[in-house]
Amino acid sequence: QKEVEQNSGPLSVPEGAIASLNCTYSDRGSQSFFWYRQYSGKSPELIMSIYSNGDKEDGRFTAQLNKASQYVSLLIRDSQPSDSATYLCAVNNWNFNKFYFGSGTKLNVKP
Amino acid sequence: EPEVTQTPSHQVTQMGQEVILRCVPISNHLYFYWYRQILGQKVEFLVSFYNNEISEKSEIFDDQFSVERPDGSNFTLKIRSTKLEDSAMYFCASGEGQNYGYTFGSGTRLTVV
C-alpha cells in the first residue's frame, strides 16, 4: 500500500485559472501535511503546511485537509507560468521521524 | 534567508568506491535528514538524525550507509562501497522540530559508473 498517493498528471491549466492538486494518505496517525514545489533538477521547496482540518490560505495558495477522508489538497489561484513545476505532497509518519512523499503531480500553466 | 548547503553538487565515482556527501544544516535546526531521489522517481527517506543519533532509518539505509555530525555544524552521509543503483540525487534537509516542514539543500547528484 502506498503511503501517499498523487495523480502524476500532467495537469494543464491556462494562465489565471485555479489549479487543484490532490493527495491521499494511508496512515491515520499522521498529524502534519505539507506541500512542496519542485522545479526540474532542483530540490523540493516548502510552500504550505497544514495540521488541522479545514482550509489554510497563504497568498495565492490554499491547502485543504480532511483527516476523516485522509485527503489533502492544494489550490493555486491565478496560476502563473512560473507555477509550472511538480508539486509534492508530504505526510509525516506516526512518530514524526520522517515524511512520506507522494510521487508528485506535474503542473503546466499555459500562457 | 537561511539555507541548507550541500557539497559537492555533482560527484562521479567508480563502483565500489566510498563517497562522502556533505551538508551544512541551518544553524538553529535540531533535526537532520537525508533523502534521495532517483531520476524520475519519488523522494525517498533514508535516515533521520537527532541529538547525535539516528532516529529512524529506511530499508535502503543498510550497512553500506552511515551518517555523522562530526563537528556540530556538518552532517555527512557516507556510502562505503557504491553500487550502480546508488546513482541518484541526494538531498540533505534540516528542521526546527519534528512537526514542522523542513528545508532541503540543493542536492548532490551522485553518479556511479
Side-chain angles (χ1 to χ4, degrees), chain A residues 2-4 31-32 34 36 38 41-44 46 51 88 92-93 95-103, chain B residues 33 35 37 41-43 45 48 55-58 89 91 98-107 109:
Chain A
K2 292 184 179 179
E3 291 88 4
V4 180
Q31 300 289 325
S32 312
F34 305 89
Y36 283 82
Q38 187 176 31
K42 301 295 186 183
S43 61
L46 179 65
Y51 306 99
L88 308 176
N92 78 296
N93 71 320
N95 63 355
F96 303 98
N97 281 337
K98 64 184 176 187
F99 286 171
Y100 293 108
F101 279 86
S103 54
Chain B
Y33 309 85
Y35 283 76
Q37 187 174 32
Q41 297 188 24
K42 67 166 66 176
V43 177
F45 170 77
S48 55
S55 308
E56 184 156 347
K57 57 185 180 180
S58 72
M89 182 74 93
F91 293 112
Q98 290 178 295
N99 205 24
Y100 296 95
Y102 29 83
T103 303
F104 281 81
S106 55
R109 179 169 297 286

Side-chain angles (χ1 to χ4, degrees), chain B residues 15-102:
Chain B
M15 191 168 55
Q17 294 297 303
E18 174 182 289
V19 294
I20 297 176
L21 310 184
R22 303 182 191 278
C23 170
V24 179
I26 294 173
S27 60
N28 64 333
H29 286 183
L30 301 176
Y31 296 84
F32 314 111
Y33 309 85
W34 284 100
Y35 283 76
R36 79 172 187 190
Q37 187 174 32
I38 294 170
L39 188 62
Q41 297 188 24
K42 67 166 66 176
V43 177
E44 299 177 288
F45 170 77
L46 292 178
V47 66
S48 55
F49 191 87
Y50 169 72
N51 201 24
N52 286 319
E53 61 182 24
I54 291 174
S55 308
E56 184 156 347
K57 57 185 180 180
S58 72
E59 297 134 4
I60 303 168
F61 196 90
D62 61 21
D63 292 343
Q64 296 299 315
F65 290 84
S66 62
V67 289
E68 206 174 40
R69 189 156 159 79
D71 57 13
S73 61
N74 292 286
F75 180 49
T76 62
L77 175 69
K78 182 192 291 186
I79 309 175
R80 288 191 186 81
S81 178
T82 49
K83 307 183 187 71
L84 295 176
E85 55 264 36
D86 293 328
S87 295
M89 182 74 93
Y90 287 79
F91 293 112
C92 173
S94 70
E96 298 177 76
Q98 290 178 295
N99 205 24
Y100 296 95
Y102 29 83

